[in-house]
Amino acid sequence: MKKWYSVIGDPIHQSMSPKMHDAWFDENGVDASYIPHHVAASALANAVESLKQLGCSGWNVTVPHKTAIIPLLDEIDETAKHMNAVNTVVVMENGRLRGYNTDGDGFVQSLEMQFGEQAKGKKVLVIGAGGAARGICFALEAKGYGPITIANRTIETAEQLADDLQEAIPLSLLSAEKTIASYGLIIQTTTVGMNYADAGIPVEMEGLASNAIVADIIYNPLETKFLKEAKRHGAQTMNGVGMFVHQGAIAFEKWTEIRPDTEKMKHKITTNLGGSSC
Ligand code: ATR
């Protein structure tokens, strides 16, 4: 029987996940489809029950449900527990719902696809301490990256995240700006710069090392002001398309046991967003 998958969120119309997963189903000869569902916060419990009753085989979870869905699931993977956020649900053969978070691993896979092991051993600066930063920090730590410094506008949130990691240093944005030259891998995870090509940047890049690797998890615009600045200082850069594609690929693999083609998808999405290459 044809299987179906979904993504739930509010808003949901902007999600590129349906096109991505449907293309992968086609490419891999999987008889399935992926349907977005707009679910308001107040309707989450009913929606989860309905997905289950209607035979959905698995779904992605996006804003604002990533944490709220946790008590509605039967099992939570260790990484998702650390992050207190789920972005992928697998309906297991026995009907139980298991929650995962593939965001952090998606970022690290994307980083390694583009730079190999080049970033290993470099001093890491993560800018932002929200849900995305949390996933990335745990994934980086698990893969042996670091030491990690976390700079955030609200220092208490950086302190909390640093406490939850094995070894990380919290910092203010101003201190990060002053010490920017000492970092070899800089990852921008805040929402600053999203949707507007000329939007601001969370920290100035004056003195940035020219051999630094600088990543921004934003993919719209493809090149944020932050990445433009990094390039101007000679750094190698990575936008958020790879993280988006890889978090989806890990979910796809959990559902189908097939590893989809991530490079082709990165190219397709980049072109759709008006860019010419990844
Ligand atoms: P996500 O799940 O995408 O990480 P989030 O959990 O809401 O989203 O986190 C947003 C991050 O962007 C936070 O680190 C936030 O900083 P605060 O903890 O101080 O709120 C950061 N952020 C949002 N707007 C910002 C701004 N104008 N300047 C600096 N940081 C900002």
Side-chain angles (χ1 to χ4, degrees):
M1 202 169 79
K2 186 173 178 122
K3 289 190 168 183
W4 68 282
Y5 297 83
S6 182
V7 56
I8 56 171
D10 181 16
I12 202 62
H13 67 274
Q14 80 299 344
S15 174
M16 292 194 291
S17 292
K19 275 196 177 139
M20 178 165 77
H21 285 281
D22 277 338
W24 280 336
F25 288 140
D26 267 4
E27 274 174 35
N28 292 284
V30 178
D31 187 18
S33 55
Y34 186 103
I35 303 155
H37 283 107
H38 176 239
V39 174
S42 58
L44 181 63
N46 282 340
V48 167
E49 189 54 31
S50 302
L51 287 165
K52 206 173 156 177
Q53 293 301 329
L54 294 170
C56 186
S57 295
W59 59 90
N60 286 129
V61 184
T62 187
V63 176
H65 308 312
K66 287 186 176 187
T67 300
I69 199 167
I70 291 177
L72 304 172
L73 304 177
D74 301 306
E75 298 174 17
I76 308 294
D77 176 70
E78 209 49 39
T79 311
K81 241 183 236 169
H82 280 310
M83 293 171 60
N84 196 30
V86 159
N87 78 336
T88 302
V89 174
V90 174
V91 181
M92 297 187 296
E93 268 173 24
N94 58 9
R96 286 170 69 81
L97 305 180
R98 187 171 171 81
Y100 295 88
N101 197 308
T102 67
D103 284 334
D105 285 340
F107 175 83
V108 175
Q109 275 189 12
S110 161
L111 183 74
E112 292 184 346
M113 186 66 102
Q114 190 163 335
F115 297 107
E117 301 266 287
Q118 262 188 72
K120 275 247 162 96
K122 288 184 187 277
K123 256 183 89 178
V124 181
L125 174 66
V126 175
I127 302 171
R134 189 161 268 272
I136 288 168
C137 285
F138 277 103
L140 285 171
E141 196 170 75
K143 287 277 168 84
Y145 286 84
I148 301 176
T149 297
I150 303 154
N152 198 43
R153 178 178 62 178
T154 311
I155 187 78
E156 291 79 13
T157 320
E159 284 168 355
Q160 180 65 58
L161 175 51
D163 271 357
D164 291 347
L165 291 159
Q166 277 163 29
E167 214 185 323
I169 300 161
L171 208 64
S172 69
L173 290 179
L174 193 60
S175 303
E177 201 165 273
K178 285 185 182 153
T179 54
I180 201 90
S182 63
Y183 300 100
L185 171 61
I186 301 174
I187 306 160
Q188 195 311 100
T189 73
T190 77
T191 45
V192 179
M194 203 181 271
N195 298 326
Y196 302 100
D198 58 351
I201 56 175
V203 297
E204 295 295 336
M205 314 281 273
E206 227 39 67
L208 178 72
S210 61
N211 64 348
I213 293 176
V214 178
D216 198 320
I217 67 164
I218 292 172
Y219 54 78
N220 194 6
L222 287 168
E223 192 170 64
T224 56
K225 192 170 176 194
F226 187 74
L227 288 190
K228 279 201 183 95
E229 276 297 291
K231 254 189 193 163
R232 199 171 63 79
H233 287 91
Q236 293 177 274
T237 61
M238 178 175 98
N239 67 24
V241 174
M243 176 178 171
F244 171 70
V245 170
H246 281 271
Q247 63 75 32
I250 301 169
F252 189 89
E253 217 174 340
K254 289 190 187 302
W255 293 329
T256 64
E257 292 178 3
I258 297 167
R259 178 73 188 171
D261 186 335
T262 49
E263 286 308 285
K264 197 160 104 187
M265 186 56 67
K266 264 171 69 177
H267 183 74
K268 213 178 199 174
I269 290 177
T270 302
T271 308
N272 275 347
L273 290 171
S276 54
S277 72
C278 294

